[in-house]
Amino acid sequence: MKVTYNWLKDYVNIKMPAESLADKLTMAGLEVTSLSQKDGDYVFEIEITSNRPDWLSVIGIAKEVAAITNSKFKKPPSKGAHSLNRYINKDLRIKVQDPGDCPLYTGTIIRGVSVLPSPGWLRKRVEAIGCHSVNNVVDVTNYVLFEYGQPLHAFDLDRLNLNDGINVRRANAQENILTIDGELVSLDKGILVIADSRSPVAIAGIIGGKNTEVGNGTVNILLEAAVFNQALIRKARQSLGMQTESSYRFERGLDPAVLKEASLAAVQLISQVSNGKITAYRASREYKIKAKKIIFDLNYAGSFLGFDIGKVKINKTLSALGFTVKKSAKDKLIVGVPSQRRDINLAADLTEEIARIVGYDKVPVSLPAIRPNAGQNTVRVLSGRIKEALVGLGFNEIITYSLIDRGFLNLFGDYDNRIVEISNPLSRDLGILRPTIIPSIARCISYNLSQRQPFISLFEMGNVYINEGQAVKEQLVLGMTMCGQKASFVNSTTVKEIVGFRHLKGAIESLFKFFDINEYEFNISGPDSVSLSIASIECGAIRRLTEKALNSLDIKNRDIFIAELFLDKIIPVAAADKTYKPLPLYPAITRDISLIVKDTTNIADLIQEIKKCAGKLLEEAEISDYYRGQQIPAGYRSLTISCLYRSSERTLTDSEINSIHAKIPGALESSFDIRIR
């Protein structure tokens, strides 16, 4: 938005230099991005925020200047906007197809105009703000646009066919218009147009047509002033690739209260510079504006900002900004909000306005009050700790969309009865809310494999959405996967290992150990899945992707396992707090057991039997080596289980550990189909 120093002085008695005014405007929220001199005047270029369309006018900025400089705002001279009603003529018909598209449209007929070059003062003012001077009539519409913020358009009345009046409607299919800049534009039903009885004569809120523009031969004009739907103008402008001063304002919303005032100002100026006379006026409807009032506690501003402003200062500041202020009760005001201030809805908004004008530099610098939090959000805290633990285990976190494609979901199972569909999806690929996190992780696996990543370990914590008939269940889940070839450095040698189900299961067990979860078990629940339960409550599963899913993802010659854990079942049994455990005082003794077991043997039961046989001196038993090869019969595997013995009271001797450890092979052979190596 450009405005000149002298133009502002028409409304405010400014006594400070232009440079100082630029600083004050910037500190009040109207950022002056540049200040330049032109023809003995200063031109301010101001960055206007989208919530303040009232600043897209000289009068709107002048009101701010008056409040900032503690000066009086000089209202523009007016003979009363109601005086247009004297010229209401029912022969001038205005038809609005949909009031939602155009809440208010007015037309004013001015006859006997002399279209000439603009007088010097008018030409100088419009050119100072970057507009090209066209003629006296067009320059007046541009002048009023910048002064009041209300776009206007002047049609050559004699070039309009008004047998059916002025029509504000959506464009028909295959209609087009030659715009005033000479471009032939194709229209569609999403674009609002102003049309006469024959064809469109303007693209509403954006640009006028060439065939009805005001030129040297124009004698009679129709002056348009309107309020159009913001979203409709924005969409039309974007689809046409056009940006005009008018569309810029219509997109941000106009104040209907200004419309008649701006129309009358334009009529008076056109009469002044072209000798035209108003003969008819018509509005599409009577538009009433509902007044907005806010109850404001005078003590609220001080407590909100952290310092006392003073009741008199609050009253004066709000009044200077155009608010009406009436006393309601002790320390309470009824504040009437001007119609152009759509951004003001709460007492906090009024407080911000007061702070802007008083100056943010007046807010005292102080340390914030820090109050200890009496409680913790267990889910949030434990979710964060789970993520930290997984990162510590070598996993990388991913974040994917909750919206997926239904066809893609069907590759991972039958979820038809659990799907939550989106009523108006952005695209077919984002048509449903995911009922499982597995497809989202599978896509990431496919992408990383296509980038030739040798080893992938990923996790995602996110919500899934399940249709339960009358309601939608939103469930927090954890997805995990490991695949590829993992390289480890062991005894000065690099060892490469294909990771899969066992490694993913081991990562889950390590995670459970970190949170002191012990009563869990894995059970085969299908040909491609293993269920996980804690205290007999199902809380997740590890699934192998089907061949159909792998082919769709273009994954060849790999088994992919993905775990999905239900955190609403896991978090309640996880230990939120960690307790300190001192390091052991006495050394440990380790003994190994190597054996050959059937593939169907439950290893958890095997380890449980070892712990039972070894007694309380056995601190830990875990698999340290795994082998399946030529020397091992089909359907069997070779395991090495390391047993760590320790006492918290003394140093153990080899002889007592040997006697305990020697009992284990016999106990295992009697309980399981195994062979000791």
Side-chain angles (χ1 to χ4, degrees), residues 153 216 230 460 536:
H153 185 71
N216 292 335
Q230 296 172 238
E460 179 178 10
S536 301

Side-chain angles (χ1 to χ4, degrees), residues 252-313:
R252 284 152 179 78
L254 298 179
D255 177 18
V258 174
L259 187 145
K260 267 193 175 181
E261 194 175 342
S263 291
L264 184 59
V267 168
Q268 292 170 344
L269 271 176
I270 289 172
S271 298
Q272 177 186 328
V273 301
S274 71
N275 298 317
K277 302 296 181 184
I278 180 173
T279 61
Y281 168 79
R282 193 72 186 275
S284 61
R285 58 183 285 209
E286 282 298 321
Y287 194 90
K288 293 184 179 180
I289 300 169
K290 188 177 180 181
K292 189 192 304 182
K293 297 185 183 296
I294 297 173
I295 304 298
F296 186 70
D297 189 333
L298 289 167
N299 298 315
Y300 174 77
S303 63
F304 190 87
L305 296 173
F307 71 105
D308 184 32
I309 297 174
K311 299 173 184 178
V312 175
K313 183 68 174 175

Side-chain angles (χ1 to χ4, degrees), residues 386 390 436-438 441 460-462 464 475-480 504-505 507-509 511-512 517 522 530-534 538-543 562-571:
I386 289 171
L390 288 170
T436 172
I437 207 167
I438 291 175
I441 294 179
E460 179 178 10
M461 189 178 292
V464 297
Q475 187 174 27
L476 183 64
V477 301
L478 172 66
M480 299 168 58
L504 188 55
K505 174 177 174 288
I508 295 172
E509 291 176 333
L511 184 66
F512 283 2
I517 300 173
F522 294 88
V530 171
S531 65
L532 169 64
S533 58
I534 299 176
E538 186 175 348
C539 61
I542 302 175
R543 305 185 192 280
I562 301 176
E564 184 174 39
L565 310 182
F566 309 136
L567 292 181
D568 58 333
K569 306 286 179 59
I570 295 172
I571 285 177

Side-chain angles (χ1 to χ4, degrees), residues 292-351:
K292 189 192 304 182
K293 297 185 183 296
I294 297 173
I295 304 298
F296 186 70
D297 189 333
L298 289 167
N299 298 315
Y300 174 77
S303 63
F304 190 87
L305 296 173
F307 71 105
D308 184 32
I309 297 174
K311 299 173 184 178
V312 175
K313 183 68 174 175
I314 290 174
N315 273 309
K316 190 174 180 181
T317 301
L318 292 174
S319 298
L321 288 169
F323 298 92
T324 60
V325 181
K326 291 182 180 180
K327 189 172 182 180
S328 170
K330 184 180 179 181
D331 294 336
K332 291 188 183 296
L333 302 174
I334 299 176
V335 180
V337 181
S339 57
Q340 70 269 23
R341 294 304 304 274
R342 299 181 183 182
D343 58 312
I344 303 297
N345 297 293
L346 306 169
D349 298 329
L350 293 173
T351 304

Side-chain angles (χ1 to χ4, degrees), residues 118 196 259 339 376 397 473 479 482 493 521 581 629 669:
S118 294
D196 64 4
L259 187 145
S339 57
Q376 287 185 328
E397 183 179 10
K473 180 181 179 182
M482 298 175 75
T493 304
E521 60 180 349
K581 182 180 179 181
E669 286 178 322

